């Protein structure tokens, strides 16, 4: 992006707030280095990886980078050939432990095909466990080189301990010998010049013979190294030197080992810094309810409920510091600029929120083009701007002897020179600071020049001439900051399409301005201007009335929809009851027929056992046959009655199968007995037409409010009752299922079949986890054998 006014839009201040979410200095530095880009592919890639990180941080087990510290200076020293100190080696080991923890965290997700962009970016991470183990066996937790770091170091330190013990024993003899007691200042052993000595009174030097290593500040005490331990102290000094040399050799060896992995360390440092910055972005996005903007072609700016992030931060801090005060909330801004509406003129009273709107818009564009989610609702769209130019605030230049007006003009001239059809221009109080008539004319000319260059422009003003200009210009729209007439205070809501008033006289009246002053002001203002103010006030009043009526109509529409849904449920219950009655009657008739047949067979068996005459058997059989025929006729009549009430279906009809509580499609015409074949999901079932209800597209569509009927009709006509996601990755399948369930619910389906295959079960587990809390899902189960078994999940949707 070309030079933009990021300072006046407080982009750096926002980056500082975002950087507070990072754990390491490297992560913070990466965030502070963020800059808006015009590379569309890069921006979309950054937004996508931010989305993946949000998904991770939103999960029950988010990524934790505690313990991550920046080792950039250490790695840089290593690359220059330096020998690292123990504390630095511990920092490297800790960094590698974090690398290992990150790899363990993401590996299961990557193996399931999740988070593809994060997987690509974290591919360079290598934990180097052998290096961590080597450092751990060499350097202790307090930064000391351990005895076991090498056999030579162990030998040296063992001998050092033995020599020290001999020195201590020799000196203790002096301390405990009555001959030397009077000569000692204190009965202790101390160290001077790295040698063990005794504190001796000045007058006792002749008693304790040895080398003097200095005296106390008062001169009353001299520090004597007795002659018998001189050689022992000499040997100890030699061992100390040998120890230092061996430690230096060990540290050089460890540094050399790390230097062999210099490229890996560099990659780890860069990758963890990027991951820390990504995690900070995700945590911030969740904390401030941010959403990904859609990056679109053209200079489009479509913000939905955008909020100023710094103002929101200040309000949150205020609530924490003053919990007794009512919390303040940022009033969101919604606006649209594009080819049809190229600019917006915003009017309204001072401190009404006009400047906040400009800064919110500019900051959201800079944030979006930096590859970060914006503090707005989902659905916002942002084009790629080559620059965001702003003239906001009063910045007099004393050094250049520029007045407020001159300072504004200097910046606007620069903006005019830079503006293209890909520039977003934000001008606060355009035309202010000079004669109102000349200022309004100049403001109109500047605005027109920017529109001719194709720039997208947001302007705030108090000039009535600019309101009229915006009203007449085909590519401009008026907007205003809402003003509460009752309390004479701003509400900070942006009202697009409505010009506003400064409300100066009303505010002055509320504050107690004398009436005679107000009347004279109205006289000087002129009848036309006063009537215009009144007209704007009347427009505002009518707008409020319309909003109130719209809310009332919306509530009534919601109530009507609830009643419609209630009546629909009642109708379904009635249909289900009728179907149950029919099925029960048919079951009772079939039971009667079975009982009659059993009776016949039992009678015949009894006759045979009684060895009755053939004529008697024949008569009994005829009587039972008559009974059988009577029952069969009753059953046939009942079935005929049910079939008469059944719908007339044919191939291709959409039907509701009562016994399965699912929608299906007739694939074979009914036979003479009323049997019909219906495809339900992935299977085809045979049933009776009496078990079906016709569900034409029009009936399903009529259940929706008029604005949605066209969309519902499209879904009903194209939706299938099964979805095949075999071969997709986990996150791809979840997205496909999400879209399909939305369409299925809109089409009125009650049961759907998701075909995922059996495989390893990873895809099935991911889908089941997603379906568990899905707002459209009533329940789900694995398919029966005839439905596909464990390779299919049957989902019941909420009605």
């Amino acid at each position: 992006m070309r030079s933009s006014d990021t300072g006046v839009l407080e982009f750096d201040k926002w980056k500082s707030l975002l950087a507070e979410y990072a754990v390491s200095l490297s992560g913070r530095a990466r965030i502070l280095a963020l800059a808006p880009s015009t590379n569309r592919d890069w921006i979309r890639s950054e937004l996508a990886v931010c989305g993946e990180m949000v998904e991770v941080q939103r999960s029950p087990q988010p990524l934790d980078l505690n313990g991550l510290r920046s080792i950039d200076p250490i790695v840089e020293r290593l690359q220059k050939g330096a020998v690292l100190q123990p504390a630095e080696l511990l920092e490297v080991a800790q960094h590698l432990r974090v690398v290992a923890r990150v790899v363990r965290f993401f590996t299961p997700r990557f193996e399931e095909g999740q988070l593809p962009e994060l997987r690509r970016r974290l591919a360079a991470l290598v934990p180097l466990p052998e290096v961590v183990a080597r450092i751990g066996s060499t350097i202790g937790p307090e930064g000391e080189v351990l005895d076991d770091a090498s056999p030579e170091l162990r030998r040296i330190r063992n001998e050092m301990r033995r020599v020290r013990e001999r020195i201590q024993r020799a000196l203790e003899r002096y301390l405990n010998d009555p001959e030397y007691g009077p000569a000692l200042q204190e009965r202790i052993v101390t160290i001077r010049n790295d040698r063990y000595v005794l504190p001796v009174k000045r007058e006792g030097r002749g008693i304790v013979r040895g080398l003097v290593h200095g005296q106390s500040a008062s001169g009353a005490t001299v520090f004597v190294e007795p002659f018998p331990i001189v050689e022992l102290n000499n040997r100890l000094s030699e061992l100390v030197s040998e120890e230092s040399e061996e430690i230096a050799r060990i540290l050089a060896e460890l540094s050399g080992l790390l230097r062999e992995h210099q490229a890996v360390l560099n990659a780890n440092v860069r990758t963890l810094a990027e991951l820390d910055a990504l995690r900070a972005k995700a945590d911030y996005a969740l904390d401030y309810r941010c959403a990904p903007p859609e990056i679109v072609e053209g200079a489009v700016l479509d913000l939905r409920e955008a909020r100023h992030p710094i103002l929101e931060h200040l309000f949150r801090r205020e609530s924490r510091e003053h919990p007794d005060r009512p919390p303040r909330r940022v009033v969101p801004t919604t606006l649209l600029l594009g080819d049809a509406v190229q600019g917006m003129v915003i009017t309204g009273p001072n401190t009404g929120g006009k400047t906040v709107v400009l800064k919110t818009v500019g900051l959201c564009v800079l944030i979006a083009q930096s590859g970060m989610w914006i503090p707005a609702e989902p659905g916002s769209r942002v084009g790629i701007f080559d620059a965001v130019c702003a003239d906001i605030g009063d910045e007099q230049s004393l050094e250049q002897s520029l007045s407020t007006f001159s300072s504004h003009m200097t910046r606007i001239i620069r903006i005019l020179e830079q503006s293209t059809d890909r520039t977003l221009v934000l001008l606060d109080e355009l035309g202010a600071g000079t004669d109102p008539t000349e200022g309004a004319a100049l403001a109109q000319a500047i605005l027109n020049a920017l529109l001719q260059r194709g720039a997208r422009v947001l302007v705030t003003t108090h000039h009535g001439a600019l309101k009229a200009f915006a009203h007449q210009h085909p590519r401009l729209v008026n907007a205003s900051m809402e003003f509460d007439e009752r309390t004479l205070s701003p509400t900070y809501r942006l009202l697009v399409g409505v010009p506003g008033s400064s409300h100066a006289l009303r505010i002055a009246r509320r504050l107690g301005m004398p009436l005679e002053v107000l009347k004279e002001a109205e006289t000087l203002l002129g009848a036309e201007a006063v009537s215009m103010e009144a007209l704007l006030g009347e427009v505002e009043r009518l707008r409020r009335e319309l909003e109130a009526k719209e809310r009332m109509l919306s509530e009534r529409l919601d109530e009507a929809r609830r009643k419609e849904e209630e009546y629909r449920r009642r109708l379904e219950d009635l249909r289900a009851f009728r179907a149950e009655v029919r099925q029960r009657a048919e079951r009772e008739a079939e039971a009667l027929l079975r009982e009659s047949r059993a009776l016949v067979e039992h009678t015949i068996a009894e006759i045979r056992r009684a060895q009755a005459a053939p004529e008697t058997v024949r008569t009994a059989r005829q009587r039972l046959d008559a009974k059988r025929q009577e029952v069969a006729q009753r059953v046939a009549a009942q079935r005929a009655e049910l079939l008469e009430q059944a719908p007339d279906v044919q191939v291709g009809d959409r039907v509701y199968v009562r016994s399965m509580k699912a929608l299906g499609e007739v694939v074979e015409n009914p036979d003479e007995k009323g049997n019909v074949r219906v495809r339900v999901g992935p299977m085809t079932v045979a049933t009776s037409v009496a078990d079906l209800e016709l569900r034409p597209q029009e009936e399903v569509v009529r259940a929706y409010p008029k604005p949605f009927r066209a969309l519902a009709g499209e879904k009903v006509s194209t939706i299938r009752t099964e979805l095949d996601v075999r071969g997709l990755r986990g996150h791809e399948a979840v997205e496909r299922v999400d879209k399909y369930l939305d369409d299925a619910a809109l089409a009125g389906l009650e049961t759907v079949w998701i075909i995922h295959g059996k495989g390893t079960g990873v895809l099935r587990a991911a889908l089941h986890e997603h379906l568990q809390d899905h707002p459209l899902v009533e329940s789900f189960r694995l398919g029966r054998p005839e439905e596909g078994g464990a390779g299919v999940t049957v989902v019941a949707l909420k009605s």
Side-chain angles (χ1 to χ4, degrees):
M1 179 181 281
R2 290 191 289 110
S3 176
S4 296
D5 293 306
T6 58
V8 72
L9 295 173
E10 300 178 297
F11 182 60
D12 290 340
K13 185 179 291 187
W14 170 80
K15 289 194 294 184
S16 297
L17 295 178
L18 176 59
E20 291 178 4
Y21 284 78
V23 173
S24 66
L25 292 175
S26 301
R28 294 189 187 101
R30 198 174 186 91
I31 290 172
L32 294 175
L34 276 176
S37 170
T38 56
N39 186 320
R40 180 177 283 101
D41 292 337
W42 179 86
I43 294 171
R44 286 174 173 168
S45 173
E46 290 299 305
L47 291 174
V49 75
C50 185
E52 291 183 359
M53 202 67 222
V54 167
E55 180 183 339
V56 170
Q57 296 305 98
R58 189 186 280 134
S59 68
Q61 295 180 328
L63 175 65
D64 179 8
L65 289 180
N66 285 338
L68 174 63
R69 290 185 288 271
S70 299
I71 61 168
D72 307 58
I74 299 174
V75 173
E76 187 176 343
R77 273 177 26 83
L78 185 70
Q79 193 162 3
K80 292 178 179 178
V83 174
L84 300 186
Q85 295 305 304
E88 293 175 311
L89 291 167
L90 289 179
E91 290 285 336
V92 173
Q94 173 62 19
H95 194 271
L96 291 172
R97 290 189 192 96
V98 175
V99 170
R101 198 168 76 229
V102 168
V103 171
R104 287 196 303 272
F105 179 88
F106 281 106
T107 297
R109 293 168 171 83
F110 292 163
E111 289 176 349
E112 293 177 2
Q114 303 175 26
L115 315 173
E117 186 63 27
L118 272 174
R119 180 177 186 175
R120 183 181 67 80
R121 298 194 184 199
L122 301 184
L125 287 178
V126 179
L128 298 177
E130 68 283 0
V131 173
V132 176
R134 177 71 183 280
I135 294 175
S137 65
T138 303
I139 311 296
E142 301 301 322
E144 72 280 12
V145 178
L146 300 174
D147 292 358
D148 293 335
S150 74
E152 178 64 12
L153 183 62
R154 187 185 310 112
R155 182 196 66 76
I156 293 171
R157 287 183 172 172
N158 286 338
E159 186 175 350
M160 288 173 67
R161 280 189 284 270
R162 289 193 297 271
V163 171
R164 283 195 180 98
E165 288 173 359
R166 291 176 62 190
I167 292 173
Q168 286 288 347
R169 286 196 299 269
L171 292 175
E172 283 176 2
R173 282 197 296 271
Y174 279 88
L175 296 178
N176 297 325
D177 192 329
E179 178 185 353
Y180 300 110
L184 298 176
Q185 191 71 265
E186 293 181 84
R187 302 177 68 82
I188 61 171
V189 175
T190 185
I191 295 176
R192 283 291 183 275
N193 301 326
D194 296 326
R195 300 177 77 84
Y196 287 90
V197 296
L198 294 174
V200 178
K201 297 175 183 177
R202 174 173 290 278
E203 58 273 19
R205 289 178 56 185
I207 300 174
V208 180
R209 299 178 60 80
L211 301 177
V212 176
H213 289 278
Q215 62 184 14
S216 65
S218 64
T221 304
V222 292
F223 299 100
V224 177
E225 178 185 4
F227 286 129
I229 67 167
V230 169
E231 288 302 320
L232 291 174
N233 268 333
N234 289 342
R235 179 55 184 158
L236 184 60
S237 297
E238 292 173 0
L239 290 172
V240 169
S241 297
E242 291 177 17
E243 179 192 36
S244 299
E245 292 174 1
E246 179 62 13
I247 288 175
R249 187 195 66 78
I250 292 169
L251 295 179
E253 183 179 308
L254 272 179
S255 299
L257 174 63
L258 288 177
R259 204 169 286 113
E260 293 175 8
H261 300 283
Q262 184 78 53
V264 171
L265 290 174
N266 291 339
N268 283 346
V269 166
R270 288 193 304 270
T271 304
L272 278 192
E274 180 180 12
L275 181 62
D276 188 21
L278 284 173
R279 188 203 54 79
K281 289 181 181 181
D283 286 348
Y284 178 92
L286 291 171
D287 197 11
Y288 281 82
R289 298 175 292 113
C290 297
E294 180 186 356
I295 303 301
V296 296
E297 302 290 338
V300 176
L301 186 56
D302 182 6
L303 296 179
R304 313 284 179 87
E305 302 287 306
R307 306 176 308 280
H308 195 289
I310 299 175
L311 190 60
E312 188 165 5
H313 167 76
L314 293 176
F315 285 173
R316 290 186 178 195
R317 188 175 67 184
E318 180 183 273
S319 296
R320 290 193 300 269
E321 294 174 353
H322 304 283
D324 53 320
R325 297 180 186 175
R328 292 196 289 172
R329 300 280 184 254
V330 176
V331 178
T333 296
T334 297
L335 58 80
L336 170 63
L337 293 180
D339 293 332
V341 179
Q342 192 177 331
M344 183 178 293
V345 175
I346 306 173
T347 51
N350 288 327
T351 69
K354 301 189 297 296
T355 304
V356 171
V357 169
L358 296 188
K359 289 189 174 184
T360 300
V361 171
L363 194 50
C364 281
V365 171
L366 295 176
I367 292 173
Q369 291 190 220
S370 299
M372 173 64 185
W373 288 19
I374 61 175
E377 293 300 311
S380 296
R381 299 179 299 140
V382 178
I384 303 297
F385 293 93
D386 60 6
V388 178
C389 300
D391 176 40
I392 298 174
D394 181 10
E395 298 179 6
Q396 295 190 45
S397 175
L398 299 179
E399 293 181 358
Q400 300 179 29
S401 300
L402 296 178
S403 67
T404 300
F405 178 75
S406 299
S407 178
H408 282 303
M409 287 303 106
T410 300
R411 288 195 296 274
I412 290 175
I413 290 169
R414 174 180 57 82
I415 290 172
L416 285 170
E417 292 172 349
Q418 294 180 354
S419 294
T420 69
D421 60 353
R422 288 281 183 170
T423 305
L424 175 63
V425 179
L426 310 169
L427 302 177
D428 192 23
E429 302 293 356
L430 182 60
T434 187
D435 177 77
T437 303
E438 292 185 4
L442 184 59
Q444 183 173 323
I446 292 170
L447 185 53
N448 201 40
L450 290 169
L451 294 175
Q452 289 174 357
R453 286 166 170 75
R456 302 297 183 261
V457 187
L458 265 76
V459 170
T460 71
T461 184
H462 287 284
H463 290 304
L466 279 186
K467 303 177 194 176
F469 178 66
H471 178 71
Q472 295 168 359
H473 200 290
R475 295 196 302 277
L476 282 176
V477 65
N478 269 305
S480 63
M481 305 309 298
E482 186 180 48
F483 189 79
D484 191 329
E485 295 282 353
R486 182 178 56 82
T487 62
L488 293 180
S489 59
T491 66
Y492 307 107
R493 283 182 59 205
L494 179 68
L495 305 175
V496 179
V498 181
S501 169
S502 298
H503 300 284
L505 297 181
R506 289 190 180 90
I507 294 173
R509 179 178 287 108
R510 179 174 181 266
L511 295 175
M513 183 67 69
L515 290 178
E516 62 273 13
V517 176
L518 291 172
K519 288 180 180 179
E520 184 176 355
E522 290 176 354
T523 302
L524 294 173
L525 189 60
E528 183 177 347
V530 173
S531 62
M532 177 59 71
E533 289 291 318
L535 178 60
L536 289 175
E538 181 65 15
V539 168
E540 175 67 11
R541 185 186 64 78
L542 291 174
R543 184 193 62 78
R544 288 177 177 275
E545 289 183 1
L546 286 174
E547 279 191 355
K549 290 180 179 179
E550 185 179 3
R551 284 195 300 270
M552 182 182 66
L553 288 174
S554 177
E555 291 171 359
R556 290 183 177 178
L557 180 60
D558 290 341
E559 179 64 24
R561 287 171 179 161
R562 284 193 295 270
K563 289 183 177 179
E564 182 181 22
E565 180 64 21
E566 180 184 351
Y567 294 147
R568 188 187 66 79
R569 283 198 300 269
R570 290 182 181 180
L571 179 59
E572 290 295 330
D573 292 343
L574 179 59
R575 287 173 174 171
F577 176 73
R578 289 174 58 187
E580 178 63 26
V581 169
R582 291 179 190 147
Q583 292 172 3
R584 188 167 59 249
E586 187 171 352
R587 286 196 299 270
E588 290 174 355
E590 289 177 350
L592 176 61
L593 182 59
R594 287 194 299 271
E595 290 173 4
S596 299
R597 286 174 178 168
L599 175 62
V600 168
E601 298 301 329
H602 178 71
T603 303
I604 293 174
E606 287 293 327
I607 292 174
R608 285 177 176 169
R609 282 197 296 271
Q611 296 182 349
E615 186 63 30
T616 304
V617 173
R618 194 163 39 253
T619 302
R621 187 181 293 276
Q622 289 173 352
R623 186 168 61 250
L624 291 174
D625 284 344
K627 181 63 175 177
R628 179 185 296 168
Q629 187 174 1
E630 176 188 350
V631 172
Q633 288 173 351
R634 287 173 57 188
V635 171
Q638 258 186 343
R639 281 183 175 171
E641 182 180 355
L642 289 173
L643 289 175
E644 285 178 6
Q645 297 178 3
D648 184 14
V649 297
Q650 56 185 355
V651 172
D653 282 347
R654 293 177 63 83
V655 294
Y656 179 73
V657 185
R658 296 191 191 95
S659 58
M660 299 181 68
K661 295 183 178 179
L663 287 175
E665 181 181 345
V666 177
V667 295
E668 285 186 13
N669 289 326
D671 58 18
E672 63 278 1
K673 295 182 180 180
N675 297 319
V676 64
R677 294 178 68 79
V678 180
R679 183 172 64 242
V680 180
M683 59 184 177
T684 301
V685 298
T687 186
S688 169
V689 291
D691 190 29
L692 305 180
E693 285 185 24
L694 268 174
R695 288 288 178 89
Q697 175 178 332
E698 294 77 10
E699 181 180 340
V700 176
V701 171
R702 274 198 304 273
Y704 290 89
K706 287 184 178 179
F708 302 102
R709 287 180 182 173
L711 179 61
E714 177 187 346
K715 299 304 180 187
V716 169
S717 62
T718 59
I719 193 74
R720 295 177 61 86
T721 53
E722 74 274 354
L723 173 68
D724 192 340
V725 296
R726 288 175 294 186
L728 298 182
R729 296 178 181 271
H731 71 283
E732 295 173 336
V734 166
E735 290 178 2
R736 187 78 61 83
V737 167
D738 247 353
K739 176 68 169 60
Y740 173 71
L741 292 180
D742 288 343
D743 293 347
L746 189 61
L749 299 184
E750 297 183 9
T751 305
V752 295
W753 285 258
I754 299 175
I755 306 170
H756 43 67
K758 296 177 181 177
T760 62
V762 173
L763 183 58
R764 179 179 68 241
L767 290 175
H768 283 194
E769 181 181 357
H770 183 64
L771 294 172
Q772 191 70 41
D773 299 315
H774 199 287
L776 297 177
V777 175
E778 182 70 38
S779 62
F780 62 90
R781 60 174 174 80
L782 288 176
R784 300 187 183 94
E786 65 272 15
E787 294 172 314
V792 174
T793 294
V794 183
V795 181
L797 300 177
K798 293 181 180 178
S799 56

